[in-house]
Amino acid sequence: MPEGFQQTLGAGSLLAIAAGAIVLLLVLIIQFRIHAFIALVLVSLVTAFVAGLPASAVLDVLTSGFGSTLASVALLVGFGAMLGRLVEVSGGAQTLSDALIAKFGEERAPLALGIAALIFGFPIFFDAGLVVMLPIVFSVARRLGGGVLRYGLPVAGAFSCMHAFVPPHPGPVASAELLGADIGILTIVGLIVAIPTWFLAGYLYGVWSGSKFVLKVPDFLSGGEREEDMAEPPKPSTVILLLLLPLAIIFVNTGLDAARAAGMVNGDAGWFQFLRAICATPIALLIAVLVASYVLGIRRGLDKLRVESLLNSALGPVCAIILITGAGGMFGGVLKATGIGDALADTLSGVGLPLIVSGFVIALALRVAQGSATVALITSAGLIQPAIASQEITGFPLAAIVVALASGSLALSHVNDSGFWLVGRFMDMDVKTTLKTWTVMETLIGVIGFAIACLLYVAFGG
């Protein structure tokens, strides 16, 4: 909340304001066809005033929510679009998709892409992994047909599962630190939950949903036709190494953070801080773009001006994605600043449900109220921390509770979640289609993950 602001509205009024804001946003976008960026900014402004934020603080709340989201998304999308442009125009995406199809067959192409995303998703954050994989997804979809969602949803679902359930991603690591869970045990439990959850909700539902909602492959990220003056397309192994380069760099970063959390290294050491900075996700993608510019461009016959033109042309089409995603973060920031999420969590914390169930419900409520899965997971962990300590829960049961919180933080992704807009716009979906596909898939992931976590909790004697 803004400094000095004290929310005077009750929980019922705040929840009614949140519900009204979401309905208004959907009506503006779906019924009146107002551009999503304008609608999000307008509804964020109205919500801030209606919820009682001081007029002097409204602009700061709007811009901080917008800016904090762009800080994590804009560089990733921009560098990812450049990398995707080079991979596509060089013919690399086509050669890699051909190799995947030859290896796994046309019918199992969505499964192959999803498994690759699970592997990449172990160290890589959701948005960065999705950006890196999309050129391959688009190329396979063009080659085989059947619409982009048939291939895109299993990939997005895989990254979502790994990001939410498995260390060294920030949500599981931070909640483990808060609750005192062992990182190694949490990794085992997270994988036990993530893999079958992805297969049921990400792969099976993703393929089914993709066959029901057949959408053409977008052109804005892939970059169009291959350059005629370039040499033969690169080998699949070259493309794989280029895609693995940023992932390997990011893995060093996340591995260092996990080692710090486990007490293996000193997080204040100069060398540690330097490596964390160099291996941060935006820098990793920057390095990958520079290497790809040489390997896929200059070394293959393009002059420097042409490479610069290709990179520049990749940015224009993704500007709308960046702005809409930032505006989604703005809306979520307003809901958080007004105290709506806190009011909902306080209301639910006294209901008296079993601890693992109440944790899931609180995380789900926070997810619905403010959008961010990571914030919902960490906040809900802090809220149930006293109960965990009083009951002295440890080991596998505690890890199962952390995964249950993560499950609640995933479900019901909607218009206040920046990931909702990122996936929807990357795959060229309108709001209704995104709700029917991405929102349903995320909710299935959350419900199935929670069910498996409860089974593990009981099996481990919780």
Side-chain angles (χ1 to χ4, degrees):
M1 291 188 184
E3 186 176 354
F5 171 65
Q6 185 69 35
Q7 181 58 264
T8 58
L9 296 176
S13 299
L14 290 173
L15 296 181
I17 291 171
I22 292 168
V23 170
L24 175 61
L25 181 60
L26 294 175
V27 169
L28 290 176
I29 294 174
I30 297 173
Q31 184 67 32
F32 292 99
R33 310 300 297 177
I34 295 178
H35 192 279
F37 176 63
I38 297 174
L40 281 163
V41 175
L42 178 60
V43 172
S44 298
L45 180 64
V46 171
T47 304
F49 280 116
V50 173
L53 283 181
S56 60
V58 167
L59 186 59
D60 287 340
V61 170
L62 295 180
T63 54
S64 63
F66 184 73
S68 62
T69 302
L70 289 188
S72 62
V73 170
L75 291 175
L76 303 186
V77 173
F79 288 138
M82 289 178 168
L83 182 60
R85 176 77 162 164
L86 290 168
V87 169
E88 178 71 16
V89 170
S90 68
Q94 184 65 51
T95 58
L96 184 53
S97 63
D98 289 345
L100 281 172
I101 294 165
K103 181 71 173 178
F104 293 95
E106 294 186 3
E107 287 299 317
R108 291 193 293 271
L111 180 64
L113 289 170
I115 292 174
L118 283 174
I119 297 170
F120 287 167
F122 188 82
I124 308 306
F125 291 3
F126 170 79
D127 40 13
L130 186 62
V131 167
V132 170
M133 282 289 290
L134 277 180
I136 311 305
V137 171
F138 288 173
S139 182
V140 171
R142 286 195 193 93
R143 166 77 182 276
L144 300 181
V148 67
L149 296 185
R150 173 179 170 82
Y151 309 94
L153 287 179
V155 167
F159 282 119
S160 180
C161 286
M162 298 300 285
H163 188 87
F165 295 139
V166 183
H169 294 286
V173 169
S175 57
E177 289 185 25
L178 279 170
L179 299 179
D182 182 88
I183 291 291
I185 294 175
L186 180 58
T187 301
I188 296 171
V189 173
L191 287 172
I192 291 173
V193 173
I195 294 173
T197 298
W198 166 77
F199 183 79
L200 294 172
Y203 172 62
L204 293 181
Y205 171 78
V207 171
W208 176 85
S209 182
S211 64
K212 185 176 180 181
F213 299 93
V214 180
L215 304 180
K216 68 177 183 178
V217 182
D219 294 324
F220 52 78
L221 184 63
S222 58
E225 298 296 325
R226 187 179 156 226
E227 291 291 309
E228 294 182 357
D229 54 343
M230 297 184 77
E232 288 299 312
K235 298 177 180 178
S237 58
T238 301
V239 180
I240 291 173
L241 288 174
L242 284 172
L243 296 181
L244 285 176
L245 175 61
L247 305 184
I249 296 172
I250 295 168
F251 181 77
V252 173
N253 188 30
T254 51
L256 285 171
D257 193 44
R260 176 201 57 79
M264 298 170 60
V265 298
N266 179 11
D268 296 326
W271 66 268
F272 179 87
Q273 299 291 343
F274 176 77
L275 282 179
R276 286 294 308 277
I278 293 299
C279 298
T281 301
I283 307 303
L285 284 170
L286 169 63
I287 294 171
V289 170
L290 292 173
V291 174
S293 297
Y294 174 75
V295 173
L296 300 180
I298 294 173
R299 197 179 74 173
R300 306 186 68 78
L302 287 187
D303 60 55
K304 297 175 183 177
L305 289 177
R306 182 58 184 146
V307 172
E308 180 191 12
S309 176
L310 285 173
L311 296 179
N312 182 64
S313 65
L315 294 178
V318 299
C319 282
I321 295 173
I322 294 172
L323 289 175
I324 291 170
T325 303
M330 175 192 293
F331 184 42
V334 168
L335 295 180
K336 181 181 178 182
T338 54
I340 290 171
D342 293 339
L344 191 55
D346 290 342
T347 301
L348 291 171
S349 60
V351 172
L353 295 170
L355 187 56
I356 191 170
V357 178
S358 61
F360 170 80
V361 173
I362 291 171
L364 174 60
L366 289 169
R367 162 70 151 175
V368 172
Q370 54 77 46
S372 169
T374 300
V375 170
L377 174 54
I378 295 172
T379 305
S380 59
L383 289 170
I384 69 167
Q385 183 183 26
I388 294 288
S390 66
Q391 297 183 30
E392 298 182 353
I393 301 174
T394 58
F396 281 91
L398 180 55
I401 290 177
V402 173
V403 172
L405 299 180
S407 300
S409 74
L410 279 184
L412 295 178
S413 168
H414 63 97
V415 291
N416 66 348
D417 176 19
S418 59
F420 175 92
W421 298 103
L422 193 69
V423 172
R425 295 297 158 165
F426 264 140
M427 299 189 188
D428 208 15
M429 293 187 279
D430 59 26
V431 171
K432 286 196 291 187
T433 306
T434 311
L435 288 169
K436 293 176 181 178
T437 56
W438 168 254
T439 300
V440 173
M441 184 179 73
E442 284 287 270
T443 303
L444 284 174
I445 290 173
V447 171
I448 294 172
F450 173 62
I452 298 174
C454 286
L455 291 175
L456 294 174
Y457 182 76
V458 173
F460 292 134

